[in-house]
Amino acid sequence: MPKQNIFEGCPKIINAAGTLTRLSAGPLAPGVLDAMSQADDFAADMFEVQAHASRRIAQATGAEAGLVTSGASAGLLLAAAACLAKLDISRMNALPDAGSNCEVIVARGHRNGYDHALLAAGARFVEVGFTESMAGAGVRDAEPWDYESAVSDRTAAILYVVNTRAQPALEDVVAVARRHNIPVIVDAAAELPPAANLTRFIRLGADLVVFSGGKVLGGPAGTGILCGRAELIMSAALQMLDVDVPRSTWFPPDDFINTSLFDGLPRQGIGRCCKVGKHEVFGLLAALNAFLAESDAVRHTRWMATCTQIAKGLTDQPGLKPIIDGAEDQESVPILTLRCESSVIANQMRAQLLDGDPKIHAGFDPFCPDCILINPTCLRPGDIPLVSKALSAMNF
Ligand SMILES: *Cc1c(COP(=O)(O)O)cnc(C)c1O
């Protein structure tokens, strides 16, 4: 059969903005499609599939266990559900009603739209600290004593969202949490590269960490990783996977699920909406393998080549200063940054790029509104001359 053009009737774009969900994320890492296709050749028990994934994720992250989820956001929902219910089956069944033990402490500066996921599981936030440096009213942010003073017998977890500007240091938040035996959930969705971040937050004492599978990892856009303490991952698995069987005929792998730790079997849990199939699990694992097989330096060189090729293809544009941000930092994603004379001109340029054929989506940095950002991570080789050409043809 001739190959069908499945995109007929659906406009394509050029994604120069990075691994954004709204732009369908990035190209799959080498080996992912093949793994998903091989996964289609057999049936398997999903507890065995996730236990297999757990072993591989544990190896890659240094965590005790892991789970493949339908995204980092799904990982946050499952992390909250695990901290709220632990291995108490009746509490699992009651979520999102977590009773009075539902508080999650979070710094105001860490709040963001993705934290809906924790609220959906039944968590309620107790906010601490002020981002006074952002308000222009001071120099500080949340501090360890802010967290300490918010702890009570209603506290179920602390949420920490990683970012280069995030304060206080994760290790200081972990120290407070340890004193009170409270789990710390780390949102590290977009913190790869560097590859060292796969192990970093677990090493610093986080109890649960989430990563996106569809960002730089190069897995299917609808995947993510939740990793951390074995008992919390067990709770998350019980609230996500299908356990609709009589208990007497249920034999999950015992290195993943320790059935002596809980009584009875939960019904379909609050995490069922985070479901993935075997195709996604094996696709994500293949992406993880490919990510670990390539060093940060090689990835950086590959992305730098894309940035320099586009920059070279730019004919002299007065008032447009190209620099490559992160050119010297092998642990970063280098970004071709075009600084315009004003934010108004930058916005006009963005509009022109979106008006072209094909439409080109460029990146935006709220800290640099005068800049057009060209992120190399989702550009296919054929996109490169088209981006150079469109930028050179720009009039402003
Ligand atoms: C992208 C992102 C998420 C959501 O990740 P998905 O894998 O798309 O669910 C959550 N938190 C942060 C900080 C992110 O950048």
Side-chain angles (χ1 to χ4, degrees):
M1 270 224 308
K3 202 169 160 181
Q4 258 186 317
N5 177 9
I6 60 150
F7 262 91
E8 177 98 46
C10 177
K12 297 179 214 171
I13 57 161
I14 290 180
N15 178 7
T19 57
L20 304 178
T21 292
R22 85 185 152 83
L23 300 178
S24 70
L28 295 173
V32 174
L33 267 183
D34 183 49
M36 294 179 84
S37 155
Q38 279 191 50
D40 197 53
D41 291 342
F42 61 86
D45 182 311
M46 284 307 293
F47 269 92
E48 297 284 359
V49 170
Q50 287 282 9
H52 171 78
S54 176
R55 291 171 208 124
R56 182 69 192 104
I57 292 169
Q59 245 177 6
T61 61
E64 292 171 1
L67 201 55
V68 178
T69 71
S70 52
S73 181
L76 290 173
L77 188 154
L78 290 163
C83 294
L84 292 170
K86 302 273 175 52
L87 288 171
D88 182 331
I89 304 295
S90 60
R91 277 182 74 77
M92 290 179 189
N93 199 47
L95 292 184
D97 180 354
S100 58
N101 255 55
C102 63
E103 292 183 1
V104 173
I105 302 171
V106 59
R108 284 194 175 79
H110 293 213
R111 289 292 319 269
N112 65 81
Y114 298 111
D115 63 34
H116 265 125
L118 294 99
L119 297 174
R124 290 298 166 260
F125 289 128
V126 174
E127 293 184 350
V128 298
F130 286 117
T131 45
E132 294 189 305
S133 52
M134 291 294 178
V139 294
R140 294 190 292 174
D141 203 311
E143 298 191 74
W145 59 261
D146 283 314
Y147 289 84
E148 187 82 51
S149 66
V151 172
S152 76
D153 55 9
R154 297 182 301 278
T155 309
I158 292 176
L159 170 67
Y160 189 96
V161 182
V162 185
N163 173 299
T164 45
R165 285 179 284 265
Q167 288 183 38
L170 175 60
E171 40 278 55
D172 294 339
V173 177
V174 166
V176 175
R178 284 284 159 81
R179 272 200 291 285
H180 300 280
N181 203 19
I182 299 165
V184 177
I185 300 169
V186 169
D187 180 352
E191 298 308 305
L192 302 173
N197 276 356
L198 275 171
T199 54
R200 178 155 181 262
F201 311 114
I202 292 289
R203 205 178 55 248
L204 290 177
D207 297 276
L208 287 168
V209 182
V210 304
F211 297 101
S212 269
K215 291 182 179 160
V216 168
L217 211 46
T223 60
I225 292 173
L226 171 66
C227 62
R229 292 204 189 283
E231 286 191 20
L232 291 170
I233 295 296
M234 216 184 295
S235 171
L238 287 169
Q239 298 185 75
M240 176 199 194
L241 300 180
D242 184 351
V243 277
D244 195 13
V245 285
R247 175 76 195 245
S248 59
T249 59
W250 187 58
F251 306 103
D254 59 8
D255 63 332
F256 185 52
I257 303 290
N258 179 347
T259 52
S260 71
L261 294 179
F262 53 92
D263 287 320
L265 271 184
R267 303 209 169 85
Q268 301 296 353
I270 194 148
R272 171 58 187 255
C273 56
C274 306
K275 158 179 162 176
V276 287
K278 65 184 171 174
H279 303 85
E280 289 81 21
V281 174
F282 284 98
L284 184 280
L285 292 180
L288 187 56
N289 278 344
F291 184 77
L292 287 169
E294 188 176 46
S295 68
D296 288 337
V298 170
R299 248 187 304 274
H300 189 266
T301 304
R302 193 158 51 75
W303 290 328
M304 277 299 287
T306 302
C307 290
T308 46
Q309 249 178 295
I310 294 173
K312 264 207 321 245
L314 288 183
T315 47
D316 254 356
Q317 281 278 29
L320 199 64
K321 268 209 317 249
I323 56 154
I324 299 176
D325 206 30
E328 308 300 327
D329 178 5
Q330 297 200 327
E331 297 199 336
S332 71
V333 175
I335 305 284
L336 175 60
T337 304
L338 307 165
R339 191 182 273 277
C340 306
E341 274 164 7
S342 70
S343 60
V344 174
I345 292 177
N347 283 337
Q348 282 169 0
M349 279 188 58
R350 227 183 291 283
Q352 281 183 50
L353 290 171
L354 284 173
D355 200 32
D357 180 24
K359 297 181 195 315
I360 298 173
H361 289 254
F364 180 84
D365 176 0
F367 290 97
C368 186
D370 303 356
C371 295
I372 305 269
L373 310 187
I374 303 296
N375 180 315
T377 56
C378 301
L379 291 172
R380 278 79 177 167
D383 295 338
I384 294 171
L386 297 175
V387 174
S388 293
K389 193 167 144 224
L391 288 170
S392 300
M394 206 90 323
N395 50 60
F396 49 88

